[in-house]
Amino acid sequence: MTPEAAIGGNARPEVEIRQELYRSMLRTRRVEEAIVDRYAEQEMRCPVHICIGQEAPPTGVSAHLQKQDHVYSAHRSHGHYLAKGGDMPAMIAEIYGKADGCAVGKGGSQHLIDLDAGFICSAPILASTISVGVGDAWAARRRGEDRVIVIYFGDGSTEEGAFHEAMNFAGVNKLPVVFVCENNLYSVHTLLEARQPENQTVRRLGPPNGMESFDGDGNDVEEVWRLAEYAVNKARNGGGPTLLEFHTYRWMEHCGPLDDTHLGYRSAEELESWKARCPVDNYRDRLIEDGSVDQAWLDSEESTLHKEIEAAFTAAQNGPFPNAEELFRHVYPE
């Protein structure tokens, strides 16, 4: 089935939704840029996996989620956290290892959590949150709860046994899960073509596990929005799981705030070709062209966002570190 057939056409979201989609992507982009700019100060002592270039999938998907819905992520999780409504100051404080962080300063960038927003967890172990998210969906089904579970993962996770077991269980039991693969071509420094048989796709893994699957342009937030609308509504209405594969690209190094084309596993030309497809800038231009926004609106958004980010970083840098007693908390149920 084509994406157009699945969603019943190419209807665009209303103007207010278009503006919010851009605002969400811009917010993630500017926060990530601030992390990149300040990381060399050596005050953020945890590893960071930057999602610049991959802002569209979490934005388009989260636009259809409700507060009670749950999101699970992996190591490149900042965009997923922010798009679901995670607290920005708490995220920045966590990256600085401060007590006001969303994980009390003990988890860092790869262990974000905001239960109030429905962002349950992120974790660096490949594919580790996929089976946990499916378990959450199983629990929601047994309890009769109105809840959709979204699980984000990269193409590398599809090579783990936990992924296939979780997909099978979700398909057999028709659980309310949306599996979202952000296929950015690389698992660390290894191209997809070097890891899997020729002409294989992530999307093909859906039907053998009893679910529909679709793939789309992960740099086009409206295409993400349309496919996610179908998948989320289907899950919420008892239709079972869906696998969505979005083709996208990370601009920065696998882990860290720098460029890495000098390593030789990808070329500067390849990186530039993807930057030309920037999900944020291209969508801004599209909204200007169709009259959804004007320069005054854009300037106002940038100004508001700049103040919000500066306040979050100032609070994080000035905040206290956790007390030593915190080391032994949250290990067992309290």
Side-chain angles (χ1 to χ4, degrees), residues 4 12 35 56 85 104 129 145 203 248 276 284 316 321-322 326 330:
E4 291 76 15
R12 297 191 67 191
I35 294 171
V104 202
T129 56
E145 297 171 344
R203 174 181 175 177
T248 184
R284 176 201 61 210
F321 287 102
E326 285 291 336
H330 309 110

Side-chain angles (χ1 to χ4, degrees), residues 38 68 79 88 91 109 128 135 151 163 172 182 225 228 282 331:
R38 299 168 190 245
Q68 76 269 18
M88 183 205 293
M91 185 186 88
S109 170
S128 63
I151 307 171
F163 166 79
V172 168
E182 295 174 318
W225 182 88
N282 287 339
V331 178

Side-chain angles (χ1 to χ4, degrees), residues 64-66 68-69 146-148 176 231-240:
H64 300 290
L65 299 182
Q66 300 173 10
Q68 76 269 18
D69 297 329
D146 175 19
R147 175 171 296 131
V148 173
V232 171
N233 287 342
K234 175 186 170 185
R236 197 177 305 283
N237 294 319

Side-chain angles (χ1 to χ4, degrees), residues 81-248:
Y81 176 91
L82 293 171
K84 185 57 172 73
D87 184 85
M88 183 205 293
M91 185 186 88
I92 301 302
E94 186 61 36
I95 297 174
Y96 275 87
K98 298 301 181 71
D100 293 332
C102 60
V104 202
K106 298 190 292 184
S109 170
Q110 298 179 88
H111 298 91
L112 303 180
I113 181 171
D114 191 326
L115 299 181
D116 289 338
F119 187 91
I120 305 304
C121 70
S122 60
I125 299 174
L126 200 63
S128 63
T129 56
I130 298 176
S131 54
V132 179
V134 169
D136 189 357
W138 176 239
R141 165 66 58 77
R142 290 175 62 85
R143 295 168 180 163
E145 297 171 344
D146 175 19
R147 175 171 296 131
V148 173
I149 310 299
V150 171
I151 307 171
Y152 294 100
F153 51 92
D155 50 283
S157 290
T158 67
E159 295 152 17
E160 296 289 321
F163 166 79
H164 295 276
E165 293 171 1
M167 287 276 289
N168 178 71
F169 190 84
V172 168
N173 292 284
K174 299 188 183 306
L175 299 181
V177 185
V178 181
F179 295 93
V180 181
C181 177
E182 295 174 318
N183 185 347
N184 62 17
L185 303 181
Y186 292 95
S187 179
V188 188
H189 299 149
T190 306
L191 188 64
L192 183 65
E193 296 172 357
R195 304 179 342 250
Q196 298 193 16
E198 187 177 2
N199 298 322
Q200 298 283 22
T201 65
V202 172
R203 174 181 175 177
R204 70 181 170 82
L205 300 173
N209 287 293
M211 68 187 73
E212 289 184 292
S213 62
F214 307 95
D215 64 337
D217 182 354
N219 278 20
D220 183 341
V221 70
E222 289 192 16
E223 183 166 334
V224 174
W225 182 88
R226 288 192 296 270
L227 287 172
E229 180 181 40
Y230 174 81
V232 171
N233 287 342
K234 175 186 170 185
R236 197 177 305 283
N237 294 319
T242 304
L243 171 62
L244 301 178
E245 176 186 7
F246 293 117
H247 303 280
T248 184

